[in-house]
Amino acid sequence: MIIIFLSITFNTILVSGSSLSDQVYQTPADMYNKPGETAKLNCSHSIQSYDQILWYKQSKNKQMQFLGYMFADNGNPETGIPVKMDGSANKDETSTLTIEGLSLNSSAVYFCAAKHCDQQPAYFGNGTKLTVLDPNIPITPPTVKILQPSLKECKDKKDKKNKKTLVCVASGFYPDHVSVFWQIEGENVTDGVATDNATLRDGKLYSITGRLRVPARTWHTPGRKFNCTVSFFNGTHTTYHSGLVYGTDLGQGEGMTREKYLQITQTAKLSYGVFIAKSSLYGVFVLVLVWKLQASSGKQSN
Ligand SMILES: *[C@@H]1O[C@H](CO)[C@@H](O)[C@H](O)[C@H]1NC(C)=O
């Protein structure tokens, strides 16, 4: 009895320790459809003796809904779920989930999992992200910019643990099939990287922010190139959109880019203009007042 228990435990550890999840494949990774169309999602695996494929739908609220499963060649959708499952759940064969009559609510990430029987763990694929496109909104790639570290952040420049945070803002895109990456001098960095899980929706379009925290001395290298790159699936291709900033000297006014300088001088010009216009208006007002007073005093003396 103990031996059986041990062997099951050992087996489970052995199985979860290996990378069997890498042997569950889902295609495509991203897809766009129009309302009313039919979507076909594929799943296959190469795990010996596994013969079941389970399908799940993960909606925006992150909740997982079980849609049904395939056992060998038999599809078993849950009752009331309007999907079809066909193909085969056996090793190296393809199982297909068909969703007909797509609506905006069909937009979700669909996961498949390969399984053998109750005792054995199931292994998930990477998911297919499906968006049913709103016909009123055109596919629009993101605009990417980087906000430089704030001056207020950790003033003590001698502190070795001093960090600087760069913020990447990708905005104005639809739909929200994006990922955010950072590069320093063209090299991908993953240390100190955080991306908000959720895209925000402002009206019709989406935005997302990501952050990169680096040691202050990494930032204070004049001319060092910091890129934030956002990948965007446009229905057929993945396109890349980058923002760029250069590290600055300790002495330099931090974050003073040409753009910012222009913006400040423009604002100054504008305020000055408004000031002159106001003064002129006041001048005219005084003139009119004086003229009226003179006119009325003239009338009285008559
Ligand atoms: C998607 O990107 C490709 C490659 O850049 C481009 O040729 C195609 O027109 C784009 N499609 C849309 C819908 O923007």
Side-chain angles (χ1 to χ4, degrees), residues 139-141 232-239:
I139 293 176
T140 315
F232 174 74
F233 179 67
N234 80 357
T236 53
H237 296 74
T238 299
T239 58

Side-chain angles (χ1 to χ4, degrees), residues 105-241:
N105 288 334
S106 312
S107 297
V109 183
Y110 291 84
F111 287 99
C112 75
K115 199 169 180 292
H116 182 229
C117 56
D118 288 341
Q119 283 89 348
Q120 305 246 5
Y123 293 100
F124 280 81
N126 287 329
T128 292
K129 183 165 170 140
L130 165 74
T131 292
V132 180
L133 296 168
D134 184 329
N136 300 313
I137 313 176
I139 293 176
T140 315
T143 301
V144 181
K145 67 174 177 188
I146 301 177
L147 309 178
Q148 311 209 359
S150 139
L151 266 176
K152 289 185 205 108
E153 192 180 8
C154 301
K155 282 246 173 73
D156 184 9
K157 282 160 184 167
K158 282 188 196 115
D159 184 356
K160 282 248 169 66
K161 279 184 237 143
N162 194 348
K163 298 265 190 179
K164 292 287 171 188
T165 306
L166 283 76
V167 178
C168 179
V169 183
S171 58
F173 55 90
Y174 180 82
D176 62 336
H177 291 223
V178 291
S179 306
V180 180
F181 307 94
W182 289 91
Q183 290 95 29
I184 300 177
E185 292 290 345
E187 297 280 336
N188 279 321
V189 281
T190 48
D191 244 24
V193 169
T195 306
D196 296 351
N197 291 323
T199 46
L200 294 172
R201 193 148 194 195
D202 177 18
K204 293 178 169 181
L205 303 175
Y206 289 98
S207 64
I208 192 168
T209 55
R211 286 171 304 283
L212 172 67
R213 260 166 85 71
V214 293
R217 60 179 185 282
T218 303
W219 171 248
H220 289 304
T221 306
R224 182 171 275 171
K225 226 169 122 176
F226 294 82
N227 279 105
C228 161
T229 303
V230 179
S231 69
F232 174 74
F233 179 67
N234 80 357
T236 53
H237 296 74
T238 299
T239 58
Y240 297 89
H241 309 267

